[in-house]
Amino acid sequence: MEVISVRNVKKSFKDNFQVLKDISFSVNKGEVLGIIGPSGSGKSTLLRCINQLETVSDGSISICGQNLVESGVYASKEVCRQIGLKIGLVFQNFNLFPHKNVIENITLPQILVLKRDKAEAQKIAMELLEKMNLVEKAKSYPCELSGGQQQRVSIARALAMKPEVLFFDEPTSALDPELTGEILKVIRSLADEHMTMVVVTHEMAFARDVSNKIIFMSGGYIVEEGTPDQVINHPQNERTKAFLSRFN
């Protein structure tokens, strides 16, 4: 079952600088799509367009069978809101509320957006904190946590909303190398549970190991796509080869 469909998406900013140039791909239920490529290739902009943080200039996006935008024309505000509830985004810089403790960071979005009662929201939050090995940090504030712990809280917050698809935008780029492993372990465990995910990452070994499909982007285009073995171990495009040579 196709969960994400992106067709001929283009994105230009006000200065007519085209960041995305005719992007098309799909993701099926339970798949993990890894997106790799150099800085400035449009990877984060693509995620922001799918998550409604940016608007596309042209093209079509559908999520779980609902059209978000068709040939550059967006659906109604209500349909866009419904689609927004089906997807979650984990940012590279955590984006936690600094004045709220861990349990509040996870429960507030559930109460405000999903209208869950406080008891249910807290129950879900504590179950997720247990999954993230962070139960003892429930009353701590973000400033009292390591970067890896903050990122695990942000993942728990996204999962608490019960999304159909989870997006990660360079989830380890703000972390020290020794903290990266714990986040990659969490994402790998979600993949083992068949969570549909799209992961923008600069961790090539991780992308190869956890993804069902890899997209390599450069200059606003998808230059190469295929299985991890095809794209990372046996790239065909010279641009892909040049990029990956730095990681060997």
Side-chain angles (χ1 to χ4, degrees):
M1 174 186 166
E2 196 172 79
V3 178
I4 304 168
S5 175
V6 175
R7 302 184 305 281
N8 309 116
V9 162
K10 301 177 179 67
K11 171 63 180 177
S12 298
F13 289 103
K14 289 182 179 178
D15 55 3
N16 290 323
F17 175 66
Q18 195 170 22
V19 181
L20 301 177
K21 305 168 184 176
D22 203 16
I23 299 290
S24 297
F25 66 90
S26 62
V27 181
N28 292 326
K29 186 175 179 62
E31 280 188 338
V32 179
L33 171 67
I35 303 180
I36 62 173
S39 297
S41 59
K43 306 185 302 296
S44 293
T45 299
L46 175 60
L47 257 59
R48 290 176 65 83
C49 286
I50 298 172
N51 282 272
Q52 303 183 49
L53 298 174
E54 299 281 358
T55 56
V56 304
S57 305
D58 197 8
S60 304
I61 299 172
S62 66
I63 307 289
C64 301
Q66 285 185 291
N67 287 332
L68 172 66
V69 54
E70 185 73 32
S71 300
V73 179
Y74 275 81
S76 67
K77 285 186 177 181
E78 177 57 24
V79 170
C80 289
R81 188 190 71 83
Q82 291 173 8
I83 292 172
L85 293 175
K86 295 178 180 179
I87 56 182
L89 175 60
V90 177
F91 298 89
Q92 53 184 297
N93 292 317
F94 323 135
N95 281 26
L96 298 175
F97 301 122
H99 59 294
K100 300 291 184 182
N101 64 28
V102 165
I103 194 78
E104 290 169 334
N105 263 281
I106 301 172
T107 55
L108 276 176
Q110 299 180 63
I111 295 167
L112 295 175
V113 178
L114 300 181
K115 309 303 181 186
R116 287 180 184 148
D117 64 60
K118 187 175 180 179
E120 182 187 6
Q122 287 187 335
K123 180 176 181 291
I124 290 169
M126 290 306 296
E127 288 171 352
L128 287 166
L129 286 177
E130 185 172 357
K131 185 174 185 175
M132 300 291 162
N133 294 315
L134 288 172
V135 170
E136 75 282 359
K137 300 293 185 181
K139 299 292 186 178
S140 299
Y141 286 83
C143 65
E144 300 172 318
L145 305 179
S146 70
Q149 289 169 335
Q150 289 186 62
Q151 191 61 295
R152 279 184 280 159
V153 172
S154 68
I155 294 171
R157 180 179 61 182
L159 289 172
M161 306 299 283
K162 301 286 198 261
E164 297 286 328
V165 190
L166 197 52
F167 294 83
F168 293 87
D169 186 9
E170 298 278 15
T172 61
S173 66
L175 302 178
D176 294 332
E178 62 185 22
L179 298 176
T180 293
E182 64 187 58
I183 300 306
L184 299 184
K185 183 179 178 182
V186 169
I187 298 173
R188 188 174 281 111
S189 72
L190 294 173
D192 290 342
E193 295 170 8
H194 304 293
M195 179 81 194
T196 308
M197 293 185 285
V198 177
V199 184
V200 169
T201 182
H202 60 277
E203 301 284 343
M204 295 303 115
F206 173 71
R208 181 189 61 213
D209 293 345
V210 79
S211 304
N212 302 105
K213 185 164 58 178
I214 298 276
I215 284 174
F216 171 69
M217 291 182 64
S218 181
Y221 290 102
I222 293 176
V223 174
E224 192 161 353
E225 63 180 306
T227 66
D229 183 60
Q230 289 170 334
V231 176
I232 293 183
N233 295 339
H234 303 96
Q236 300 300 305
N237 187 280
E238 291 302 320
R239 182 69 185 91
T240 316
K241 291 178 183 178
F243 175 78
L244 290 172
S245 68
R246 294 179 293 161
F247 297 93
N248 295 330

